Amino acid sequence: MAVLVPVFLLTDYLRYKPVLILQSLSHVSIWLLLLLGTSLLEMQFMEFFYGITMAARVAYSSYIFSLVPAAVYQRVASYSRSSVLMGVFTSSVLGQMCVSLGGVSYRTLSAVSLGFVTFGLLLSLCLPWPKRSLFFNQARLEEERKEAAQTELARMKPEEKDGSVAAQGSNHKSHSWTNSVFVQMLKELKNVVK
């Protein structure tokens, strides 16, 4: 918790990449200490580096959002979160199968994990620098947010035959049960399932 606030503040100011590299270095440190550490002090250092890694996770999402226009934030967030969860699921299942069926030791799995986080560190060094930050470039960001809101509204509002957005002045329609928030949520759920 002590690391969370400074990392959060520095993430946007440093434009994400240094914090991503710090996160990767912390991850490598965790697995090195897990493999080579034997004392209580080394395990406490491992927990400290774990705290840095978890605090720096905000840099990952912020970095991705800084590279794409605001109109596609929702799609990018769902893709990135899905890929992270799929990676966690796959590695967990494969690790369990290796231990249960293949007789692989936990030390070997930890060494494999160290290899993958080291590869992640090398990848983070190769990432391009974002040209802007989300909070320290407010003028352009506000413009993108307005465009994104208009894009989302255009998708949500039905269009009339002549292409213009349906008039909002029809108050008698807005009070019907088919336009209630609950029904709109159910329609959206139906679209998501499709």
Side-chain angles (χ1 to χ4, degrees):
M1 286 182 66
V3 177
L4 188 60
V5 173
V7 166
F8 181 74
L9 295 174
L10 287 175
T11 296
D12 196 63
Y13 184 72
L14 296 175
R15 286 193 299 165
Y16 321 113
K17 187 172 176 176
V19 180
L20 287 172
I21 293 170
L22 173 68
Q23 181 188 28
S24 297
L25 285 170
S26 297
H27 233 140
V28 170
S29 301
I30 289 168
W31 289 103
L32 281 173
L33 286 168
L34 190 62
L35 279 169
L36 306 174
T38 55
S39 70
L40 176 63
L41 181 62
E42 290 167 333
M43 294 301 110
Q44 289 173 329
F45 271 116
M46 184 185 73
E47 291 299 322
F48 171 74
F49 287 120
Y50 182 76
I52 291 175
T53 300
M54 291 297 108
R57 288 177 78 177
V58 69
Y60 173 72
S61 299
S62 301
Y63 176 79
I64 291 173
F65 291 143
S66 72
L67 297 177
V68 298
V72 294
Y73 277 6
Q74 190 174 18
R75 185 180 304 161
V76 169
S78 65
Y79 289 161
S80 64
R81 189 67 188 145
S82 298
S83 63
V84 168
L85 290 174
M86 184 57 79
V88 170
F89 171 76
T90 305
S91 62
S92 300
V93 169
L94 285 176
Q96 188 62 50
M97 287 173 56
C98 288
V99 170
S100 300
L101 303 175
V104 177
S105 69
Y106 288 116
R107 185 168 183 79
T108 303
L109 286 179
S110 294
V112 170
S113 296
L114 175 61
F116 276 111
V117 295
T118 304
F119 179 67
L121 171 61
L122 296 176
L123 284 179
S124 69
L125 293 171
C126 298
L127 290 173
W129 283 89
K131 292 183 174 51
R132 64 185 175 86
S133 62
L134 291 176
F135 299 109
F136 291 101
N137 194 355
Q138 288 295 324
R140 184 175 170 189
L141 183 63
E142 284 302 318
E143 212 173 275
E144 284 188 14
R145 283 185 183 153
K146 286 178 185 175
E147 288 175 16
Q150 290 171 354
T151 304
E152 289 295 320
L153 284 173
R155 277 194 266 162
M156 289 172 28
K157 291 182 182 178
E159 293 189 14
E160 293 180 350
K161 290 180 183 174
D162 62 352
S164 63
V165 176
Q168 295 177 0
S170 55
N171 289 336
H172 67 280
K173 285 188 179 180
S174 65
H175 294 294
S176 73
W177 68 272
T178 57
N179 288 336
S180 71
V181 174
F182 180 70
V183 172
Q184 294 301 321
M185 287 172 57
L186 288 176
K187 287 180 182 177
E188 192 63 32
L189 177 63
K190 180 180 162 186
N191 289 337
V192 168
V193 171
K194 282 183 182 177

